[in-house]
């Protein structure tokens, strides 16, 4: 997790994820390894099972005023492991 202050606009939080034996939770709607912006409903697709390195992203909007947001690499599952390529993580302002 890291916190950033962002001006109003559209953004993309992207990075690479690899998984091994990730099993979805038995409850809820968000499962697997994903990138997420705390306080926003958007999140990258959750990756479950076994997977090679995959590029994922989540697009989101900051409205009206500069805002502090937390960017998360998260694993929501009942089993398994996930790796996040820290060097691939990036936040880009979209035009």
């Amino acid at each position: 997790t890291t916190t950033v202050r962002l001006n109003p606009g559209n953004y993309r939080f992207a990075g690479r994820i690899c998984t091994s034996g990730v099993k979805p939770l038995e409850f809820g709607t968000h499962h697997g390894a994903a990138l997420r912006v705390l306080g926003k409903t958007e999140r990258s697709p959750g990756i479950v099972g076994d997977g090679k390195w995959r590029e994922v992203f989540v697009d989101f909007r900051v409205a009206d005023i500069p805002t502090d947001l937390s960017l998360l690499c998260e694993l929501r599952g009942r089993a398994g492991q996930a790796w996040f390529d820290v060097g691939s993580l990036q936040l880009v302002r979209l035009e």
Side-chain angles (χ1 to χ4, degrees):
T1 303
T2 192
T3 301
V4 293
R5 176 167 281 257
L6 299 175
N7 290 321
N10 296 308
Y11 294 88
R12 174 171 287 171
F13 176 35
R16 294 176 0 118
I17 301 173
C18 180
T19 58
S20 176
V22 174
K23 295 184 180 176
L25 294 170
E26 296 174 356
F27 58 89
T29 57
H30 300 295
H31 307 282
L35 300 178
R36 184 165 69 95
V37 181
L38 193 61
K40 300 285 185 183
T41 57
E42 300 87 359
R43 104 191 258 275
S44 72
I47 301 172
V48 296
D50 297 316
K52 296 181 180 180
W53 288 103
R54 288 181 46 186
E55 180 79 25
V56 298
F57 65 88
V58 55
D59 292 340
F60 63 97
R61 177 167 179 71
V62 174
D64 302 328
I65 60 172
T67 304
D68 291 334
L69 292 172
S70 293
L71 307 176
L72 292 90
C73 298
E74 71 176 359
L75 173 59
R76 293 181 45 85
R78 58 186 168 88
Q81 296 179 308
W83 296 270
F84 298 87
D85 180 2
V86 175
S88 73
L89 297 176
Q90 57 181 321
L91 178 64
V92 178
R93 184 172 179 149
L94 304 172
E95 296 305 321

